[in-house]
Amino acid sequence: MRTASHLHRLPILAAAMISLPFIASAQEACTTYTVKDGDTLGSIAQAAYGTFDYQMIFNANRDALAANPNSLPAGLQLILPCEDGRLTPDQELSSIIEAETQKQEASAKKSNIYEPPLKFVTSNNWKPFTDESLTGGGIFVRMAATAMQRGGNDRDYTVAYVDDWMSHIDTLLPSGAFDVSIAWEAPDCSKLDMLGEFSARMCTDFDFSLPIYEAAYTFNTLPDSKYANARSFAEYAGAKICRPEAWPLGDLEVQGLTPPVVEYVAPKNPIDCANMLLKGEVDIYSIETETSVANFKELGVTDKVVTNPALTTFISYHFLTSKSNPRGRVYIAMLNRGITEMRESGEWYDILATGLAEYNKLSQ
């Protein structure tokens, strides 16, 4: 449910690099680290945080890593955030959100009565990104709400939760019942001929905002698997790959990993994939790294699986409108203005870090 335009460097990241007292010679949280030959994001995360979940490192260094996260040049300086998401030990989470909100309130205008509220639709049970139980409805809902009040926007909006993702694209957006769905993955539409039916439909029937999040998808196997040491996607030919129902496949389709080259297994719940891997019923479990790490931790089997350090895909998530909506592209343009301002001010990272901190606290 989850192309891109010019990436803007966050001023807060540059400020953080300057304010840190030293460059770490070893991987330590709350510092910066200079990449050495042979380093991978997984190995750096393992040394700094005791886990191969490097999503937080990517979030803090998005501009530096987005072009090629699978190849780290020696000498590259990376921010290693504190475990609670702060970029530096003396930073306060939500400080940028508060400052930007005060600035917006000081210059707020009344909405035009001829412009009806923009109608967002999302779903529950996708924590920490979308769920009514979370502050502001989750990270992605907070980003949508904030974008509507940034970049010169001042438009009323409503948010509804319809817990059937497929209904969003089958009925709710095409019919005009809602304007924007929060949020969906964007396949690589420049490779339309390589995409499966569902991914191709997303390209032809819908318009995407700028990316609001890029999730790292990793490939996990048992240690003695013949696929454990794969160094190219072609080496996964013949594998049985588990990725849960409704999770995207476009990242694998553009690598040529389509049936009959590989076989896909799609249970409803991610943890079912983890169990199937442990039982030898599938060869590979591929999903965003935060989910797989959480699954293996819950099952107490972190030491019984390995993550391929060389192969990763990154899937970007976006706000989505139907091309049949006559105002759809106007709404996308509004959201893009807000997203761009949030990126440049550092508010995007602040929303992400505070949302993850809340979720981690609730999960303890």
Side-chain angles (χ1 to χ4, degrees):
M1 282 63 57
R2 5 285 142 239
T3 264
S5 69
H6 178 69
L7 298 176
H8 298 274
R9 178 163 299 278
L10 302 181
I12 187 174
L13 298 188
M17 295 286 289
I18 295 171
S19 64
L20 285 171
F22 63 97
I23 303 296
S25 59
Q27 298 96 318
E28 300 173 2
C30 281
T31 62
T32 59
Y33 172 69
T34 302
V35 173
K36 297 180 175 58
D37 286 331
D39 281 343
T40 65
L41 288 177
S43 67
I44 295 172
Q46 177 65 29
Y49 307 107
T51 172
F52 283 105
D53 182 356
Y54 48 79
Q55 183 70 55
M56 187 160 59
I57 297 176
F58 181 84
N59 293 342
N61 299 275
R62 175 181 179 270
D63 293 340
L65 296 174
N68 193 354
N70 291 320
S71 179
L72 301 182
L76 177 66
Q77 289 186 3
L78 297 176
I79 297 172
L80 303 186
C82 306
E83 294 195 16
D84 62 2
R86 290 174 298 147
L87 294 172
T88 64
D90 57 353
Q91 179 195 359
E92 292 185 16
L93 288 180
S94 80
S95 58
I96 298 178
I97 297 173
E98 293 171 1
E100 293 298 314
T101 300
Q102 291 177 3
K103 186 190 305 181
Q104 172 66 25
E105 290 175 348
S107 59
K109 304 174 184 176
K110 291 183 179 180
S111 297
N112 188 319
I113 61 173
Y114 297 105
E115 295 179 336
L118 194 153
K119 295 173 291 184
F120 288 101
V121 62
T122 189
S123 176
N124 286 293
N125 302 316
W126 188 20
K127 297 178 180 179
F129 301 113
T130 62
D131 195 277
E132 289 177 281
S133 68
L134 300 173
T135 299
I139 291 170
F140 289 169
V141 180
R142 289 175 63 193
M143 287 183 178
T146 304
M148 292 301 296
Q149 302 299 320
R150 302 292 183 266
N153 300 323
D154 186 29
R155 183 74 169 267
D156 289 334
Y157 62 89
T158 62
V159 180
Y161 291 77
V162 177
D163 296 341
D164 178 356
W165 282 106
M166 291 304 297
S167 72
H168 295 199
I169 61 173
D170 287 341
T171 305
L172 300 180
L173 293 186
S175 70
F178 291 92
D179 298 308
V180 181
S181 182
I182 309 170
W184 291 75
E185 70 283 349
D188 185 349
C189 296
S190 69
K191 299 178 180 178
L192 193 61
D193 59 332
M194 300 181 69
L195 297 176
E197 181 179 354
F198 178 80
S199 298
R201 178 189 170 201
M202 296 299 285
C203 291
T204 57
D205 293 358
F206 298 92
D207 288 317
F208 297 88
S209 71
L210 293 174
I212 57 172
Y213 189 69
E214 292 91 356
Y217 275 58
T218 52
F219 297 82
N220 307 280
T221 66
L222 297 178
D224 59 355
S225 169
K226 67 178 182 179
Y227 300 106
N229 296 315
R231 292 299 178 264
S232 70
F233 288 105
E235 294 178 61
Y236 283 152
K240 184 180 288 188
I241 302 175
C242 193
R243 188 172 280 184
E245 183 180 84
W247 260 254
L249 292 175
D251 60 315
L252 302 179
E253 291 168 346
V254 297
Q255 299 296 338
L257 297 179
T258 57
V261 176
V262 296
E263 178 183 348
Y264 286 112
V265 179
K268 287 189 176 297
N269 298 311
I271 201 163
D272 293 336
C273 277
N275 278 311
M276 294 174 76
L277 178 65
L278 294 170
K279 295 176 182 177
E281 297 173 356
V282 297
D283 301 305
I284 300 167
Y285 173 26
S286 176
I287 200 169
E288 68 265 19
T289 182
E290 291 172 318
T291 298
S292 62
V293 168
N295 287 166
F296 296 137
K297 182 178 180 180
E298 179 180 343
L299 296 172
V301 296
T302 301
D303 59 340
K304 292 182 171 58
V305 295
V306 294
T307 300
N308 190 318
L311 296 177
T312 306
T313 61
F314 279 81
I315 293 179
S316 58
Y317 292 93
H318 308 248
F319 304 128
L320 186 75
T321 65
S322 173
K323 289 186 177 180
S324 64
N325 187 328
R327 300 285 292 172
R329 292 190 177 181
V330 174
Y331 300 147
I332 291 295
M334 293 172 59
L335 289 164
N336 285 346
R337 290 198 299 269
I339 293 167
T340 299
E341 181 173 312
M342 290 158 60
R343 292 277 195 188
E344 292 177 339
S345 69
E347 193 173 15
W348 172 85
Y349 183 85
D350 216 1
I351 292 172
L352 178 61
T354 54
L356 290 175
E358 176 192 25
Y359 175 68
N360 292 333
K361 185 176 181 179
L362 292 172
S363 302
Q364 290 177 353

